[in-house]
Every structure is written in C-alpha cells, then in structure tokens.
C-alpha cells in the first residue's frame, strides 16, 4: 500500500486479459492560502499547489505562459507552464519535460533548497527548472521553449495518473502535436531529461508523433518489472513507493508497488510498461551510468530502438551531475540544434558509442573512448570456472566436485581470480551456477563483481565527486524465477521470463544463469576479480540509492562447483583494436573511390 493511502481498483483490459488495476489516492493539490489554514494532521494529505493562469516575465528575456490548458484526444485537460523567448516574433523548437514530479517543484521549497539537485553545484540550475529537466534559463536564451507539464492525474490535470505505458504515451503524442501548432513554435519538439523523464521518452517516441524531432533520454529504465519492481524476480516496491509518495493530483495514481504485490509475475499490466522499441525511429542521444540502477534500461533502450541516428555515451557518474555539466550541456545543445533547427554543426561526426573505462575510485583508464557498437564486436567471451574447494576461479573446470554453503540471510561467499596481465572487461557478464536451497524452497541471490588491488583490498568506483562508493557490476535472481525467455535472451545476456514460479524441492540442485548488468573496467596485472554472492543487498552506508528488496530466504544457500556442476563467470574480455601483426586493408564498401577523384 502506498504509504497507507486509500486504494481502489478499476478493471481494465490489458494485453488480452482483464487486470484489476490498483490506484492509490494522491496528495491533494491545495492553494497555498488554504493549505496554511489546514490542521497539521490534514496537511500530510495535501500539497501546496497554486493554479494561476497568466503570462508573466519569469526572467529577463523569458516569458512564461502559466497553467495553459491543453486538451487530450479523450477530452481530458492537462496543464502546462510554457517558457519561451520574450520576442513575440520568434518561432522556436520546444523541449518537453514529461514526468509526475510537478511542473513547479521549487516554488515552496526553502531558499537553500530551491533548485537543489544531488551532485550539482548550487547555482548551476535556476528556480524555473523542473526536477531532472531542461532549465529554461539556459535553453530559452539559446532559442528554445521549455514545456513543463503536469501530466494526466498530476496537479490539476484531469484523469487518473498512469505511470508510463500506453495512456501516458498517447498523451505525450497529443501534447507534442499541440505544441507544433502554436504560433511561437517552429514545428519541432524534442524531449530531454533523466530518470522518469527519460523513461517516458521511450514510450512517447514509440507512438511516433509527427513533430517529435529527437529525444535525449538521460538514463531511464526500459522495463519497469525487470529493472525496478522485481529485478531478478525479487520484489522491491519501497523505492517506487518513495518516488511516487509526493505525487499530487485530484483522482489517483497507478500504484505500481501495490500491483507488484498483487501481480508478482509478468502479465499484460507489466507488458504495457515495456515500450515497442521497434517503433522508435527519431534521432536519439542516450546516456548510461555504469553505476546506476537505470543502467540496464538505458543500454537496452539504445540497442533496441530502430533509429538510424542514435548515439550512446556510457560513463561512471550519476545522471544529475552529468546532465547539467559544463561539458555535456553544450553537447546536448549541439544535438538539439542539429535536429530541431537544422543547423549543420558536425554533430554526425560524434562517435556512435563512447565509453568510460573505469579503474578505481574516481580514476578512469579511458574517458569517452570511441566505439562503433555495443556490445563491442571484438569482445572475446571467456569463462572463469568457480571452485568451491578454495574459493577461486580458474580457466578450467575443476575435475573434483565441491560445494560452498552460507547462511541464507546473514552469510556470503566469494570466488577470486587474479589476472596475470592487464585485462579490460567491457560489456555483459553472466554467472552460470548450480545451486541448492538447503532448508527452504527458494533462494534470493545478490551478485556483485568487484575489483581487488594487488594488496587484496577492494577497490570501489566512486561517484558524486568521489564521495559515494559503488562496488561493481551487479545482478540478482530469485531462483524460482530462473526460467529464461528464449526470445529475449542471448548467450551473453540471459533474460528471465517471470511467467511462473518453480520452487525447489529438498535436495534439488538446479542450474541458473544470472544476468549481470553491463560495465566497463580495467584490471591491471596482479589485480583480482572477485565474485561476491549473498542473500541480501550489501552496500556501504554512504551509497545513495535507497533500495530495499523483500527477500525470501531461509536455511542455507549451497553452490556446487566442479565436475558435472560446471559453474562459471562469463566475462567480456576486450583485446586491443589492433594487434601487432594487424595489416590495414581498405574497406571498399565503406569507402568507395569518390567521383571527384
């Protein structure tokens, strides 16, 4: 239940089945004067939220059309704040910010918290910016309008709030087409923003609104079930409840946390929250943070969209410092200028893929290294075989069978391998193992791939200016959800189907393949790669993501290795682009002789 608020259901047909869709009451939008008169206990159910249709000067050279009514195809009205140049003759592209966070989130924050965004220096973002969205004080002087929208069911906008999915996407289509018809618009609309604002871009772009020029999803999930609510099949509803607790509206919000409890397996409801990537054809500039829970969705989204013009940049940092940085804000402007204004600024020469190869702490081995694809075509997949007898990993499967046990709730095990030469791992890993639940019928597994120094000390990667440590690439699995989806899975990326539970019988030993999120990292000669396995989520106290999983563990977890129990970590080894004996040959198809010569 979403923080104890009243719930109700609406029967809806989704994916050919009738779903009892669960909604929760939101905070009630209340004018500030009325809010201040409420008893303190009632204020907890309300949120200060003004409604004032007007046009005013928001900043020098910037006017704001506030609480503009925009009709959707079914008659529901959404309200938006439109920031645009004060020059009434200017026709400009629009940057659309689409999320449930409210179109003016800073209005009633204390002064020291106005425009606060984690990891972003104070003063970098103006009070006009919606959370995780384009800042009007940067974009409007550069010849753009910015539309901050209260989407369906948020603020005073009509309807029930649908978190992503078909309804939300259709509304985005309608809003984009409305923008294109306005006298101040040049007919081009872009989308930008991180997290929720990125997730919505996949869905809306898949509807193919004619006037959507391009998208810039800065880290956004592509599958809410697999990447958020039930990663690996292990329920994790508290973060979603936390993220939506402040949602404010008149009717109710699509309660994803409650739906995960009601529908713990994949069904039409969860399928509705997976975009049809084959229909995303507009130019796209996508970013992915190697250490962020949006990572899987960002990379999968970039790989799957049908756009011929698409770029991926993968880096160590979280989305907020990256999105508003002095390095990448001008770069995003260059991308938008190319596809929203037709400026031939050389954007197409940007490498299609750029990766940051992490080392340790805040050090990187390489930054923005250009590549042509992801996963990299030259990847050499190798297996490091687990040996429970001595907690090691090696290049050959041990002949003798052995097992490692740990307490399912409190214990943990590790397997180590020391590299003899510098080794870059970039791409997807997977853990193939034979496991047993001693004393229970299920097991939840949390896997982390770490780096140890030559002295045997764990070397995390740090973000937010070196203040928050992240241990390494990760994966999870509830073993009763071990069945894979053959259409979605590849040898390097096993994807669970989540269509049924397969509980374990006493003494039953089963094979599993755990998907590990992609990464890019260098291990120098003499450094150790460690696979750390536990029945719980383990992070340093200073890690910033408030993530909690609802585990189902009891008894002992048993890992079987060696002999018939061939267990291994598959790793993506990246050789140099060119070996010492490489001979250059011209690719005639890619570089024909030009007529001018």
């Amino acid at each position: 239940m979403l923080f104890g608020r009243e719930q109700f259901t609406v029967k809806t047909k989704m994916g050919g089945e009738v779903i009892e869709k669960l909604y929760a009451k939101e905070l009630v939008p209340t004018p500030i004067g009325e809010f201040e008169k409420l008893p303190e206990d009632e204020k907890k159910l309300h949120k200060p939220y003004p409604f004032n249709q007007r046009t005013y000067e928001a900043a020098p050279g910037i006017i704001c059309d506030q609480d503009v009514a925009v009709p959707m195809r079914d008659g529901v009205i959404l309200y938006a704040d439109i920031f645009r140049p004060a020059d009434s003759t200017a026709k400009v592209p629009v940057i659309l910010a689409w999320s449930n966070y409210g179109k003016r989130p800073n209005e009633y924050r204390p002064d020291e918290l106005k425009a606060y965004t984690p990891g972003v220096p104070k003063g970098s973002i103006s009070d006009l910016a919606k959370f995780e969205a384009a800042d009007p004080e940067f974009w409007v002087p550069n010849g753009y309008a910015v539309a901050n929208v209260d989407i369906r069911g948020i603020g005073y906008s009509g309807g029930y709030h649908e978190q992503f999915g078909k309804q939300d996407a259709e509304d985005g289509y309608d809003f984009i087409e409305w923008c294109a018809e306005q006298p101040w618009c040049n007919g081009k609309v872009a989308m930008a923003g991180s997290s929720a604002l990125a997730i919505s871009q996949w869905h809306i772009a898949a509807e193919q609104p004619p006037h959507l020029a391009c998208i810039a999803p800065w880290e956004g999930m592509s599958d809410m079930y697999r990447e958020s609510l039930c990663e690996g099949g292990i329920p994790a509803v508290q973060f979603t409840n936390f993220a939506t607790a402040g949602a404010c509206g008149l009717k109710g919000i699509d309660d994803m946390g409650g739906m995960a409890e009601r529908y713990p397996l994949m069904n039409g409801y969860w399928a509705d929250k997976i975009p049809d990537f084959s229909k995303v054809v507009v130019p796209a500039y996508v970013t992915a943070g190697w250490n962020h829970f949006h990572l899987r969705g960002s990379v999968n989204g970039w790989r799957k969209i049908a756009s011929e013009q698409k770029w991926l940049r993968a880096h160590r940092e979280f989305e907020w410092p990256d999105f508003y940085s002095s390095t990448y804000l001008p770069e995003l402007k260059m991308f938008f200028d190319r596809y929203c204004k037709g400026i031939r600024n050389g954007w197409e020469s940007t490498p299609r893929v750029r990766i940051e190869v992490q080392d340790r702490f805040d050090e990187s081995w390489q930054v923005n290294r250009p590549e042509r694809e992801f996963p990299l075509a030259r990847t050499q997949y190798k297996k490091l075989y687990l040996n429970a007898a001595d907690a090691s990993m090696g290049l050959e499967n041990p002949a003798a069978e052995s097992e490692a046990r740990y307490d399912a709730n409190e214990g943990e095990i590790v397997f180590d391998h020391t590299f003899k030469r510098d080794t870059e791992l970039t791409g997807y890993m997977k853990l193939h193992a034979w496991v047993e639940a001693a004393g229970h019928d299920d097991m939840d597994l949390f896997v982390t791939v770490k780096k140890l120094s030559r002295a045997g000390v764990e070397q995390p990667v740090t973000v937010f200016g070196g203040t928050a440590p992240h241990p390494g690439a990760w994966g999870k699995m509830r073993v009763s959800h071990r069945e894979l989806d053959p259409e979605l899975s590849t040898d390097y990326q096993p994807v669970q189907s989540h269509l049924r539970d397969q509980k374990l019988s006493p003494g039953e030993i089963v094979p599993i393949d755990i998907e590990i999120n992609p990464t890019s990292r260098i291990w120098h000669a003499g450094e150790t790669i460690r696979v750390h396995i536990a029945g719980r989520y383990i992070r340093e106290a200073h890690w910033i993501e408030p993530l909690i999983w609802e585990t189902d563990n009891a008894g002992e977890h048993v890992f079987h290795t060696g002999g018939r129990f061939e267990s291994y970590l598959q790793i993506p080894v990246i050789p140099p682009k060119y070996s010492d004996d490489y001979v250059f040959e011209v690719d005639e198809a890619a570089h024909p002789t030009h007529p001018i010569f």
Side-chain angles (χ1 to χ4, degrees), residues 26 53 122 136 174 212 233 244 249 320 325 334 340 365 379 384 389 391 407 420 439 497 589:
E26 302 172 84
Q53 292 182 311
K122 187 176 180 180
D174 293 349
L212 178 62
T244 55
W320 307 306
S325 76
M334 188 178 182
C340 293
W365 187 54
T379 305
L384 298 178
D407 181 87
K420 294 182 178 179
S497 65

Side-chain angles (χ1 to χ4, degrees), residues 92-96 172-182 185-191 204-205 207-215 281-283 339-341:
V92 295
V94 182
I95 301 174
L96 176 57
Y173 178 111
D174 293 349
F175 191 90
I176 287 169
E177 295 309 296
W178 176 87
C179 285
E181 295 174 355
Q182 302 312 299
C185 180
N186 75 344
K188 301 284 188 180
V189 180
M191 296 190 72
I204 293 172
E207 292 296 307
Q208 299 185 344
H211 292 91
L212 178 62
C214 56
I215 59 174
V281 296
V282 294
Y339 295 107
C340 293
K341 297 182 177 182

